[in-house]
Amino acid sequence: MTDNQHTAHGIDLETLEGFAEHAEENPEAVQLGLGATATYEGTAAHSLAKIDSYELGGETIARETREYTIPYGAWREVMDAGGWLGATDRLEPIEAALSALAACINVGISINAAANDVDIERLQTRVRTDFDPAVLFSLEELKEADSVYENLTAEVEIDGEDIDQDLIDEWARRAPVYTLVSLAQDVEMNIVTPATVTGDD
């Protein structure tokens, strides 16, 4: 690193500025295609999720170091109560989504702090919600899905000089996962079943 290199939050700010200018002039070059796959493991609520390749500007990028796998499940006490045999703790998908939201709020804040020369000494985001599983277990109609979550909160603790609460709030809301969970998203559901085999006449 040279003495005149201006860095903040682990970013070379000159490179970041150049990237932002390139993105503004060539928006198609920075579009991302993201995805994940989850395979059912034969026990209700257990899936092995995999994340690997992604697309950047229409180009697929894949490498072995991105082949992340995550064993999803649920809470041992809940599974015991529900009749699961040999119940064990696993990362629950809702908690994974909450941790992703917390981490992405940190992303929104830290990237914009770097771009605006705001120093952060400490940043921690805690996300919490109350969850009613009645719709999941078909105890309520699907039309009641809006009542599944209540009291979704994000608490951002941040220390540094010249911290503007309104700016921090704005930067947090720029986080992509915040957009994913807070705004209505249309999910195009495509159900694939084995093709019907017709016999010879």
Side-chain angles (χ1 to χ4, degrees):
M1 185 170 70
T2 60
D3 291 339
N4 60 357
Q5 188 176 24
H6 189 192
T7 64
H9 301 278
I11 299 174
D12 180 322
L13 297 180
E14 185 176 339
T15 303
L16 177 62
E17 183 178 350
F19 176 82
E21 291 175 359
H22 177 72
E24 185 175 18
E25 296 169 4
N26 306 278
E28 71 288 345
V30 296
Q31 300 304 303
L32 291 157
L34 308 174
T37 303
T39 302
Y40 175 57
E41 295 182 296
T43 296
H46 282 201
S47 288
L48 184 66
K50 182 179 179 182
I51 301 167
D52 51 20
S53 64
Y54 69 99
E55 294 178 7
L56 174 59
E59 177 187 351
T60 298
I61 298 173
R63 54 183 170 270
E64 290 183 2
T65 54
R66 293 207 87 255
E67 293 179 0
Y68 307 120
T69 56
I70 307 163
Y72 281 117
W75 313 274
R76 189 185 69 205
E77 292 79 7
V78 174
M79 298 179 85
D80 276 338
W84 271 258
L85 304 176
T88 59
D89 277 312
R90 279 190 170 191
L91 178 63
E92 205 285 330
I94 299 168
E95 294 169 321
L98 294 175
S99 69
L101 174 58
C104 200
I105 287 174
N106 287 354
V107 169
I109 293 171
S110 60
I111 286 177
N112 283 283
N116 289 276
D117 203 24
V118 173
D119 183 43
I120 295 175
E121 296 173 7
R122 178 178 177 274
L123 171 61
Q124 182 179 69
T125 299
R126 181 177 291 106
V127 175
R128 191 187 180 287
T129 191
D130 296 322
F131 167 60
D132 181 349
V135 172
L136 171 64
F137 287 103
S138 297
L139 304 175
E140 295 284 354
E141 298 293 326
L142 184 57
K143 65 183 180 182
E144 301 299 323
D146 286 350
S147 67
V148 168
Y149 296 103
E150 290 185 354
N151 306 317
L152 178 58
T153 61
E155 179 181 275
V156 178
E157 295 182 9
I158 184 168
D159 293 329
E161 293 184 11
D162 302 321
I163 298 295
D164 183 319
Q165 289 188 350
D166 290 336
L167 266 182
I168 299 301
D169 183 78
E170 176 191 327
W171 295 344
R173 294 172 192 275
R174 291 183 179 276
V177 178
Y178 177 90
T179 300
L180 183 66
V181 302
S182 67
L183 302 179
Q185 305 291 326
D186 291 327
V187 179
E188 182 179 332
M189 194 74 71
N190 182 20
I191 310 300
V192 179
T193 59
T196 303
V197 178
T198 57
D200 295 332
D201 292 335

